[in-house]
Amino acid sequence: MAPPVNIIVGSHVWVEDPKEAWVGGEVSRINGEEVHVQTKNGKRVVTHISKVFPEDTEAPPGGVDDMTKLSYLHEPGVLHNLAARYELNEIYTYTGNILIAVNPFQRLPHMYDTHMMEQYKGAGFGELSPHVFAIADVAYRAMINEGKSNSILVSGESGAGKTETTKMLMQYLAYLGGRSGVEGRTVEQQVLESNPVLEAFGNAKTVRNNNSSRFGKFVEIQFDKSGRISGAAIRTYLLERSRVCQVSDPERNYHCFYLLCAAPPEDREKFKLGNPKEYHYLNQSSCYVLDGIDDSEEYAATRRAMDVVGISDEEQDAIFMVVAAILHLGNVEFAKGEEIDSSVIKDEKSRFHLSTTAELLKCDPKSLEDALIKRVMVTPEEVITRTLDPASALASRDALAKTVYSRLFDWLVEKINFSIGQDPNSKSLIGVLDIYGFESFKFNSFEQFCINFTNEKLQQHFNQHVFKMEQEEYTKEEINWSYIEFVDNQDVLDLIEKKPGGVISLLDEACMFPKSTHETFAQKLYQTFKNHKRFIKPKLSRTSFTISHYAGEVTYLADQFIDKNKDYVIAEHQDLLTASKCPFVAGLFPPLPEESSKSSKFSSIGSRFKLQLQSLMETLSSTEPHYIRCVKPNNVLKPAIFENFNIIQQLRCGGVLEAIRISCAGYPTRRTFYEFLNRFGVLAPDVLEGNCDDKVACQMILDKMGLAGYQIGKTKVFLRAGQMAELDAKRAEVLGNAARTIQRQIRTHMARKEFIAVRKAAIQLQSYVRGISSREIFEKLRQEAAAVKIQKYLWRYIARKSYLRVRLSAVTLQTGLRAMTARNEFRFRKQTKAAILLQAHLRCHIAYSYYRSLQKAAIVTQCGWRRRVARRELRNLKMAARETGALKEAKDKLEKRVEELTYRVQLEKRLRTDLEEEKAQEAAKFQEALHAMQIQLEEANARAIREREAAQKAIEDAPPLIKETPVLIHDTEKIDSLSAEVESLKTMLLSERQAAEEARKACIDAEARNAELTRQLEDAGRKVDQLQESVQRLEEKLSSTESENQVLRQQALTMSPKALSSRPRTVIIQRTPENGNIVNGESKFTSDLSLSISSAREPESEEKPQKSLNEKQQENQELLIKCITQDLGFFGGRPIAACVIYKCLLHWRSFEVERTGIFDRVIQTVASAIEVQDNNDTLAYWLSNTSTLLLLLQHTLKASGAASLTPQRRRTSSASLFGRMSQGLRASPQSAGLSFLNGRGGLGRLDDLRQVEAKYPALLFKQQLTAFLEKIYGMIRDNLKKEISPVLGLCIQAPRTSRASLLKGRAQANAVAQQALIAHWQSIVKSLDNYLKIMKANYVPPFLVRKVFTQIFSFINVQLFNSLLLRRECCSFSNGEFVKAGLAELEQWCYGASEEYAGSAWDELKHIRQAVGFLVIHQKPKKTLNEVTKELCPVLSIQQLYRISTMYWDDKYGTHSVSSDVISSMRIMMTEDSNNAVSSSFLLDDDSSIPFSVDDISKTMEQVDITDIEPPPLIREHSGFGFLLPRLE
């Protein structure tokens, strides 16, 4: 991490700060090696140039998710990046493939729920935001794909969150490979359920953590060949046994002691326990209670956890009995005895605790006392018993307590492993190592020495892994890395574990000599390692030594090393507890083998621990490692506090800075060719103008800058430490020159713009003055012209006014006179019209009243008579229908009556035809006579006129005197004769008129008789129709009755002959409960009703008609099934198959039978048709058919007994008796079963369908049909989801612009990129159009189409929105613009599809629309929280808004997100929500349920008219399907 030398004035750098560790600032002056820095907190710092590090001013404000992407990989850069992310609640950060987890000290449930697990399942590493799930997923995928075991190493100091991280890892692995275990509990559940037990006995409060694990734990999760969890095991390392006897203030002992002291009174009385302050092992510290923890509740929880892992109640009592015995043992004190170096029990109190301990351990009190204060030494000559002094007796007491507690803890681990169950056949495992981190306190003892030794071992493994990853990166990019040195800590490990000569070997050697003390041990260390560079002797201490670890120097106190290293069990203790009467205690101390008891082989904690650690490292070396470094941000254990010095120390202890040091030894800065050219292309614009590829362009830029030592790989540029700063300095210089050029051009532009404005103002002023002068002259001329014109118009006005006054007077007089005349005329006409109107209304009223009275009387008379006749006829029909034998006679009578009526109708028709012919002949004769009379009359008139004219002419021509008298006489006679002839002609004409009038009256009478006959004929026709309908209905009833009788006969045939012969001969006739009528019948089977079944030949003869009937019915069903397997298409937008199925089932009365197979056949046909799930056309076809058929069934079927009227009565009440009979005669016999559909009234709509009482098969069929409808709907929806899912992943992130964008301009590049993106959206739109077209072509109800697209748009909303929240690169301004353009394509599609089919689909995109709208708005820092939550994004939750606001970055204009105050307010609201147990998941869930019910279908779908459906050709000509043919009117 050597700082670069390219620090110039104006550079932004990091400098050391005593409060904040590192602080940013700007270089103000450089004097040789001294640098003057003006820091951001207002201070002025002068430091050496080697102690400043460059700051990346272009780093995103929210930090980067992978610190290998940092331009400057150094300590302050790493610290600042972690702090920026922690401030935004981004607690996870990558360093390559290492995960750094900063403890948030608050609940973040949204980060660990099932939604988050679904997002990370199968996602590529680094594709989503850093997360512990990503590490677990990588380990699991590597294990599955490569078949190699993996391990996840979780490290960190106390309080860093290692245990919680381990829980999250195991939960995710359980999510990926969970499998049911014993008693319904999975393996991972059992492992997690064991945590409370291990925590109770292995965790304690330390200075830094209230629940610190004081042992190392390696959980092996075993998997089978299919990747399912098959077993697990827990390995523990180095339990801190010394804590049982020694506790520092303000720490606590192990939790179990305090839990037992808080147990219920009966338990405490059983174990003779009291207040924890009374016990020596607990009262060494003043801390007894933890804040927010109730020990009594924890005791009950621990008991429940023991039950879960399979520890019985007896074993639990024994466990807590041992724990209580240890507490009582600690209160046993010793005093000096009478003899030298002897000891005795101090007082009665100690004696009480001793006896209580013996009672609890179920051993002899005297034996226990002897085991504590005496030692037996066996020599070849004799057995020597010696007593111990009080100090040695206390040491013996503590040794016994530690040994018992250690054996108890080992037994618990073994019991838990047995409960979980291991898979011996498992070849793959994922190990999760949860182990203590590096520790360095004010006083460090043997425990810290072992812990730090462990961490040195793990650090070496970590360094090798990091270096290996570096090698793989370099090899992958094909660059030379052979000269890079590897940072190793092998010298520290040799110092500790080398044999012989290591610290552990020297400690074991000291333990083997009884006279060795901690001083002699320390002196031995000083002599052995005086020249070792990693070993330091403190100046002011004789028993301390310092080791320089990878994380820093740690000073150890050797005072208790020898005592704590001894691991052997004292023989007296072993014998005492082996002889215990308690089986549990005796089981903790099994008798040692004889060889073991005789041998005096030395055993130590250090050696045993070294062997355990060696085994652990071998396990880790055989697996592929993954690292998680947990960091505690502060020591007060509170959220939102980031202590820089504390973090730096933990990064050093965790090896993160060591990994950075390894990276800096090679090429710490790595940039892809695109990123490098995008950042440093300004250094060589001529290179970008060429046609060379990116790799050559990068090479040319680096050569031009004169850099050496860099490497260019296949896809990245690798820079040595300091070279990035050098390039940035030159880039800043180029950008500075460009800025000055831009400033110069802007100033020139502004000056010229000011000059042009002044000149333009002068010209405008001149024009204004000239305009004023011209306007004054023009105004004067205009006034003169106006005066002349005013005079002219005034004179004309006066003259015209005088003329108009005179004319107005004349017109007024004329108007008055004319108006008076008109009013008089109007008044007269009005009175006349009113009188006429009154007369007309009065006469009309009189005539109408008389007519209505006559009409009413006639109607009443007719109704009375018709009712009487109808009742008589109905009574006769009922009487006739009571006996089956009368059916034949009724039918014969009806046929005879029909024949008589037909004959009468034909006779009446013939009479009416003859009458009409006679009437026509008479009318023709009258017309001819009248015409002849008219001709004679005309000829007589013409002759008289001619004679009169001739006489007149003769009178005029004759002489006046001579011929006057004779002429007069002659003319007078002639006139008389003519007059007489005229009179006779008039008489004849009058008689002829009378005759014509009589003929006309006769004609009218004939027409009246004809009308009466016609009416009688129609009445007779209606009666005939009614009779035919009655006959047809009776035939159907007879046929149904015969079928039922034959079924009963078949049942009777199965009975024994004895039973048959004993039964009387009866006629089996089924009747309806209401009226006793036969349900179904047919005339050709009536003769079979009276047959008996006593003989054997009669059933054979009766079986033939039934067999033919069943075969015919089976044939019809087979034909129907064969028909519907074909694509029958649609008729007028209605599916033919559904309508045909419904008509057939209704006609066959399948809904009303108890057993039938037709329903299963139909369901099987539908199931086989939709087996090919990818054929959307077939699925849409059957979706339309099933929905239509279900709609018809919904309106037809009703549960049995649901209504009081039977179908028989409902038909009776629908029409009159004679109307049904006429319908039955006009219809064909085959169509009688559908008379309610195709009768006279044109029934066939859903409102007209009758309801039938459905039996169980029909109701089951309806349920199955509903299930298939939902299944087909789901298949279509899921197919569409499957089709658009791959494209959605490409739609959320804008495509990266090519290198040409650096030259062609942003607008053109964005246009090209937008076209590429729109292509993906258009692909989605194309899929939507295709599915809409398919569903339209198959007439899928619009209601279902709307539901499909509503759920699809909801799926798009969920996928896009979740991707946006999980991928920081998507939360940018330009990406928001691209997604907004894509959403506009979907909006256009919704408009094009119309609301009928799209419905409210567009509203389902509300989350992604509002999120994108937030990304593309400007001036975000000026927005208040209320504006963001109420106006911009009212639908989004606070968690979602916080996530978007913190992840937002502007790659286009460089703007910032909302203000820090808004972010703080959001964080407070999120904290309140988490405290109130409000769901804080920011991810959306995709709803894959069925969003409708059967009632929704019946309410929303349009009515279906099935009367005019044309049957398919396959069954159209078949006689059994004649009822499907539409009726012709």
Side-chain angles (χ1 to χ4, degrees), residues 851-871:
Y851 165 74
R852 289 293 295 174
S853 63
L854 291 178
Q855 186 187 42
K856 184 175 181 181
I859 291 175
V860 169
T861 305
Q862 292 174 354
C863 290
W865 177 253
R866 289 172 181 165
R867 182 169 63 250
R868 183 177 179 185
V869 173
R871 285 178 175 172

Side-chain angles (χ1 to χ4, degrees), residues 966-1146:
V967 172
L968 286 174
I969 295 172
H970 179 72
D971 291 338
T972 299
E973 293 176 354
K974 199 168 187 179
I975 288 172
D976 292 338
S977 64
L978 291 174
S979 297
E981 188 176 355
V982 169
E983 289 297 331
S984 63
L985 290 174
K986 287 182 179 180
T987 303
M988 292 177 62
L989 180 60
L990 183 60
S991 63
E992 291 294 335
R993 285 180 177 176
Q994 292 176 351
E997 185 65 22
E998 293 176 355
R1000 188 177 64 80
K1001 291 181 179 179
C1003 182
I1004 291 174
D1005 294 340
E1007 289 178 352
R1009 291 196 304 271
N1010 191 16
E1012 180 65 22
L1013 291 174
T1014 303
R1015 187 181 61 80
Q1016 294 178 358
L1017 180 62
E1018 291 177 353
D1019 291 342
R1022 283 195 297 271
K1023 292 180 181 180
V1024 169
D1025 294 340
Q1026 293 168 359
L1027 290 173
Q1028 288 180 349
E1029 182 182 9
S1030 299
V1031 170
Q1032 186 66 29
R1033 188 171 63 253
L1034 292 173
E1035 289 178 352
E1036 292 176 359
K1037 294 177 181 177
L1038 184 62
S1039 176
S1040 176
T1041 304
E1042 178 62 23
S1043 301
E1044 294 173 0
N1045 289 340
Q1046 292 183 1
V1047 171
L1048 293 173
R1049 290 193 190 99
Q1050 287 183 350
Q1051 295 176 356
L1053 287 176
T1054 60
M1055 299 172 61
S1056 64
K1058 182 178 180 180
L1060 288 175
S1061 60
S1062 64
R1063 295 184 58 183
R1065 298 184 179 183
T1066 58
V1067 178
I1068 303 173
I1069 301 175
Q1070 184 178 355
R1071 302 175 184 272
T1072 57
E1074 287 83 359
N1075 53 20
N1077 291 340
I1078 298 172
V1079 178
N1080 288 321
E1082 191 168 335
S1083 58
K1084 64 181 179 180
F1085 294 120
T1086 54
S1087 59
D1088 296 333
L1089 292 174
S1090 59
L1091 296 178
S1092 70
I1093 52 174
S1094 58
S1095 65
R1097 297 182 60 183
E1098 285 178 348
E1100 294 178 3
S1101 63
E1102 291 174 352
E1103 188 178 0
K1104 293 180 180 179
Q1106 177 63 23
K1107 185 176 180 181
S1108 62
L1109 183 63
N1110 290 338
E1111 290 177 354
K1112 185 177 181 180
Q1113 187 176 6
Q1114 187 69 21
E1115 180 184 353
N1116 292 340
Q1117 292 182 4
E1118 292 288 346
L1119 194 58
L1120 174 63
I1121 297 301
K1122 182 179 179 181
C1123 180
I1124 63 175
T1125 53
Q1126 304 173 1
D1127 189 347
L1128 302 181
F1130 301 86
F1131 183 83
R1134 294 158 294 175
I1136 296 177
C1139 297
V1140 168
I1141 293 172
Y1142 176 73
K1143 282 187 176 183
C1144 292
L1145 295 178
L1146 200 62

